[in-house]
Amino acid sequence: MAEDAVLGIDTSCYTTSAALMSLTGELLADRRRILAVKPGKRGLAQSEMVFQHTRNLPDLVEACRFSDVRIRAVGVTDRPRPLEDSYMPAFLAGCGLARSLAKVLGVPLWRLTHQHNHMFAGLWSVGQEPPARFLVVHVSGGTTDLLLAERQADGSFSLLPQGTSIDLHAGQMIDRVGVAMGLAFPAGRALEELAQKAESAFPLPVWTDGANMSLSGPATKALRALQSGADPASVALGTERVIAKALVKTIGHVCENKGLTKVLFVGGVSANDEIRRELARHLKGKGIEVWTPDPRYSVDGAVGCAFYAVKKERERP
């Protein structure tokens, strides 16, 4: 007998994803493909992202096993942030396919933002029922956002910006330093592995003002240090530590001012073990609990889309 399930689709800046999840919350399939970036480059144009997503989606959907499931809904990301004017062409590829599939199958289409996708993937991974108010810290190549999550009357969660980086995002800093070392873009995983070989962290300055931070200064100092012959492993560890320090200060500020004690740490940078450890260690002393999802469900993927669709289907009469 076929099992009731939902299909999730996400086409973020650098990952094409499709996921199948049963209505009981069991992950049945999780297919992803990282977009190709030429060596030495630090990113892709949106037109190239759309092209690669369009090419990848049929392969990933076909790789999901549909023979034993009955699709009851489709969940998809349709924009980056929960803002009226939030838009990015990359999401059009996934949203277009999701709309078509939902229409053909005669099932509901549940849309959510990329930041909500990360939130739901993280909550699914840690297995936690969220409180009415908590902090979502979304840190990646395109985002360094501290978001107040508040449950609304209809059960949904609003995400209200509380703080950010005023210049470089944390993932951008990691990629700039990593590419300068000769690492491939995106450089997160390779930089983390290099940092593990360091005997000490290269000291980098940190600037915060309440809930906001600046990472351009430490990034510039890291690049100059590499040009002057500093140990790459030491600079890699210093990069991780300065990002962690900035996050600890800004998160602590928001939690104190908003009376929050729970933090969900998501986004590509949140998969970094060193940054995770530093956050948990320093924030625990402030009475703040940090939820860190499995790294696979911290980075971009469609699991959050699927889990959101599951929750919406469970709520339907």
Side-chain angles (χ1 to χ4, degrees):
M1 184 176 178
E3 183 176 17
D4 287 340
V6 302
L7 173 66
I9 294 175
D10 179 58
T11 50
S12 62
C13 284
Y14 294 102
T15 308
T16 315
S17 311
L20 272 180
M21 185 175 287
S22 72
L23 290 189
T24 63
E26 179 187 359
L27 187 60
L28 305 175
D30 181 12
R31 310 300 183 197
R32 312 181 192 194
R33 185 174 295 170
I34 304 296
L35 304 190
V37 179
K38 293 181 179 180
K41 298 294 183 179
R42 294 204 305 251
L44 293 170
Q46 284 288 319
S47 59
E48 178 62 21
M49 292 179 194
V50 172
F51 170 74
Q52 291 197 40
H53 284 316
T54 303
R55 185 179 58 190
N56 292 341
L57 278 169
D59 292 342
L60 298 184
V61 172
E62 288 171 5
C64 296
R65 184 175 178 178
F66 292 93
S67 58
D68 299 325
V69 300
R70 182 170 49 244
I71 299 300
R72 291 300 191 185
V74 179
V76 65
T77 47
D78 63 357
R79 62 193 192 278
R81 293 176 171 84
L83 300 172
E84 185 84 16
D85 59 351
S86 184
Y87 168 76
M88 188 174 288
F91 293 105
L92 294 177
C95 198
L97 177 61
R99 285 177 57 192
S100 298
L101 288 173
K103 182 68 175 180
V104 170
L105 295 171
V107 299
L109 175 68
W110 299 110
R111 300 168 181 257
L112 70 165
T113 73
H114 185 64
Q115 290 188 322
H116 280 93
N117 177 35
H118 272 293
M119 183 188 79
F120 283 108
L123 291 172
W124 176 84
S125 178
V126 299
Q128 295 283 354
E129 187 62 32
R133 299 171 74 250
F134 64 104
L135 188 66
V136 175
V137 179
H138 180 204
V139 186
S140 66
T143 305
T144 305
D145 284 352
L146 280 61
L147 305 161
L148 174 60
E150 289 189 306
R151 185 182 284 114
Q152 305 301 296
D154 62 359
S156 64
F157 275 91
S158 62
L159 293 177
L160 302 176
Q162 303 298 307
T164 188
S165 173
I166 63 172
D167 37 50
L168 282 184
H169 293 302
Q172 286 179 307
M173 179 181 177
I174 288 173
D175 286 330
R176 288 190 183 187
V177 173
V179 170
M181 293 175 178
L183 305 178
F185 178 95
R189 183 57 187 158
L191 184 137
E192 182 177 1
E193 292 174 352
L194 180 62
Q196 292 169 0
K197 302 174 183 178
E199 294 183 2
S200 62
F202 187 87
L204 295 171
V206 63
W207 179 92
T208 63
D209 182 14
N212 294 320
M213 69 183 77
S214 170
L215 295 174
S216 62
T220 299
K221 186 170 182 179
L223 294 175
R224 287 175 178 169
L226 291 171
Q227 293 171 354
S228 300
D231 174 37
S234 177
V235 174
L237 182 57
T239 298
E240 293 176 326
R241 292 275 176 87
V242 77
I243 291 171
K245 189 173 182 179
L247 287 171
V248 166
K249 288 189 172 187
T250 53
I251 291 170
H253 176 85
V254 173
C255 287
E256 180 180 356
N257 280 272
K258 296 294 182 178
L260 306 174
T261 60
K262 299 291 191 293
V263 173
L264 178 65
F265 190 32
V266 296
V269 174
S270 75
N272 184 288
D273 282 339
E274 178 67 23
I275 296 176
R276 285 172 173 237
R277 284 193 297 268
E278 288 292 295
L279 258 62
R281 181 166 66 91
H282 290 288
L283 292 174
K284 184 178 181 181
K286 300 176 182 289
I288 300 169
E289 182 182 3
V290 181
W291 291 338
T292 52
D294 183 305
R296 179 168 178 80
Y297 307 113
S298 298
V299 299
D300 287 349
V303 171
C305 296
F307 187 47
Y308 177 71
V310 165
K311 292 177 76 65
K312 298 300 289 185
E313 285 303 294
R314 289 175 180 171
E315 294 169 1
R316 286 211 302 156

